[in-house]
Amino acid sequence: MKQQILDTMKQYEIIIIHRHVRPDPDAYGSQGGLAEILKASFPEKRVFVTGKREPELDYLFTPDEITSETYTGALVIVCDTANQERICDNRYSFGKKLIKIDHHPNEDPYGDLYWVDTTASSTSEMVYELYQFGKEQGLQMTDEAARLIFAGIVGDTGRFQFPSTTKRTFQYASELIEYDFDRTTLFNHMYELEPKMIKLQGYVFEHYQMNRDGAATVELKQSTLADFHVTPSEASILVGSLGNIKGIKAWCFFIEEEEEIRVRLRSKSPVINTIAMKYGGGGHPLAAGASVSSWEEAERVKKEIQQVCQSE
Ligand SMILES: [Mn+2]
């Protein structure tokens, strides 16, 4: 598959790279890392990254703004996005050929070609693997590509602590840090929190509820978010913070938006993406998300989390 992807990339003059909505460092890292590799390897090609700009990730890069005409005859690559509904910028189908590169379960095998590896820690790790595979055939790594890919790996592995981290992950990371980029600055950007976020974190620690089976939930209503001057997207950043509580097995943040309630699920071992899928969402077995339309529905999600924790 890697050879087919490489051969396809060689054929196209214009390559446009997409990723998922509500991006995280792996979405940006795989998208931007691949773009930097392609630009360095094929200077004659025109390579673009598209998708709604996420100000929180400006330290990685800002996406290109391209016209729909740019897609004429182009190759489109979508990184880190399991299903078509989650692709940011719905012009992804405007190109001539579509490739999916992803590490989520392949529920929606879209595209003319797809490369899905659920054993990879991150799509960024796969992009590095693609570079390794293709370097004899002309693929070139740059300092900037290495920085973006490293950020993606760090983001999706929770700084190398999630079980998805493998020997291969460490191997690639050790090679990536040979490139010239400032890791300290990168880590600061990734993990420093504004004071208002630390205050909201305090609220989360005070208000979460956990039953004796280790099922925990937190409700963040719009009024609470307003009190802390925090947006729903910003609040999502804190979802991992409950993971250190002794005895916790699976947990969920319910984050109220204008029209819906965002459901952010995390787990230490019970599989929770099956719950997310029931509510139109998806994700990894231990990290998933969905949306529900009422607090009654949120209550049902809560029951399902309690069930999976009870049967563990
Ligand atoms: Mn990812």
Side-chain angles (χ1 to χ4, degrees):
M1 186 47 66
K2 280 175 272 193
Q3 189 60 56
Q4 271 189 60
I5 290 176
L6 189 55
D7 289 340
T8 308
M9 292 189 307
K10 285 177 185 165
Q11 285 164 21
Y12 286 81
E13 296 302 310
I14 300 172
I15 302 176
I16 303 168
I17 310 176
H18 289 237
R19 38 85 185 159
H20 60 78
V21 294
R22 293 171 186 164
D24 53 20
D26 186 37
Y28 258 61
S30 55
Q31 178 193 33
L34 180 58
E36 291 300 321
I37 291 171
L38 292 175
K39 282 183 209 168
S41 314
F42 309 105
E44 71 287 356
K45 293 190 193 299
R46 293 164 64 207
V47 181
F48 302 99
V49 287
T50 183
K52 188 168 175 269
R53 176 185 157 215
E54 170 52 61
E56 290 286 320
L57 297 173
D58 274 351
Y59 65 89
L60 293 174
F61 61 84
T62 45
D64 300 312
E65 282 178 26
I66 54 172
T67 62
S68 298
E69 287 72 55
T70 316
Y71 284 83
T72 310
L75 169 65
V76 176
I77 303 174
V78 181
C79 289
D80 200 38
T81 313
N83 47 343
Q84 292 172 79
E85 299 81 73
R86 292 198 76 224
I87 301 174
C88 193
D89 192 341
N90 55 21
R91 298 177 296 176
Y92 68 92
S93 59
F94 288 10
K96 195 164 176 206
K97 200 155 195 171
L98 182 64
I99 297 178
K100 169 188 188 180
I101 302 179
D102 187 32
H103 69 127
H104 300 88
N106 200 11
E107 310 288 347
D108 177 12
Y110 62 84
D112 302 295
L113 285 175
Y114 57 81
W115 174 33
V116 171
D117 181 0
T118 54
T119 69
S121 71
S122 51
T123 305
S124 297
E125 182 176 303
M126 295 173 71
V127 168
Y128 187 77
E129 198 170 295
L130 183 68
Y131 153 73
Q132 266 205 333
F133 174 84
K135 63 183 176 189
E136 310 281 287
Q137 299 175 58
L139 286 192
Q140 285 180 32
M141 182 59 60
T142 67
D143 295 335
E144 179 60 3
R147 183 179 79 93
L148 296 172
I149 293 168
F150 186 79
I153 294 175
V154 166
D156 259 27
T157 60
R159 286 176 272 190
F160 306 104
Q161 62 175 332
F162 299 155
S164 57
T165 312
T166 63
K167 187 178 169 186
R168 182 172 60 164
T169 315
F170 282 113
Q171 172 72 41
Y172 294 170
S174 74
E175 291 174 26
L176 286 162
I177 63 168
E178 295 288 326
Y179 290 86
D180 186 19
F181 63 90
D182 186 347
R183 253 182 297 155
T184 307
T185 305
L186 182 64
F187 276 117
N188 285 342
H189 280 306
M190 290 180 79
Y191 295 104
E192 68 192 2
L193 289 173
E194 284 181 53
K196 66 176 185 182
M197 296 299 295
I198 298 290
K199 290 200 173 115
L200 181 65
Q201 194 165 42
Y203 176 92
V204 166
F205 288 147
E206 276 191 48
H207 292 86
Y208 77 89
Q209 293 190 315
M210 184 164 85
N211 72 5
R212 70 172 78 101
D213 297 317
T217 52
V218 182
E219 293 177 3
L220 295 174
K221 301 249 162 91
Q222 279 195 301
S223 54
T224 307
L225 296 177
D227 287 346
F228 286 91
H229 306 286
V230 168
T231 67
S233 297
E234 289 172 327
S236 297
I237 297 167
L238 299 178
V239 65
S241 62
L242 291 185
N244 292 334
I245 299 166
K246 192 168 183 176
I248 201 166
K249 281 190 201 158
W251 65 100
C252 178
F253 272 46
F254 294 108
I255 305 168
E256 190 179 38
E257 295 188 343
E258 296 276 315
E259 310 271 307
E260 55 184 22
I261 301 164
R262 245 192 241 190
V263 180
R264 290 271 170 267
L265 291 149
R266 291 293 182 274
S267 173
K268 290 263 165 110
S269 88
V271 171
I272 42 81
N273 60 347
T274 45
I275 300 174
M277 280 181 237
K278 277 192 202 169
Y279 295 87
H284 301 276
L286 305 182
S291 295
V292 295
S293 51
S294 67
W295 286 104
E296 289 75 45
E297 211 176 352
E299 213 45 49
R300 289 203 286 278
V301 175
K302 199 185 280 189
K303 292 253 155 50
E304 301 215 32
I305 300 164
Q306 289 167 351
Q307 270 163 18
V308 293
C309 287
Q310 197 176 22
S311 50
E312 263 282 302

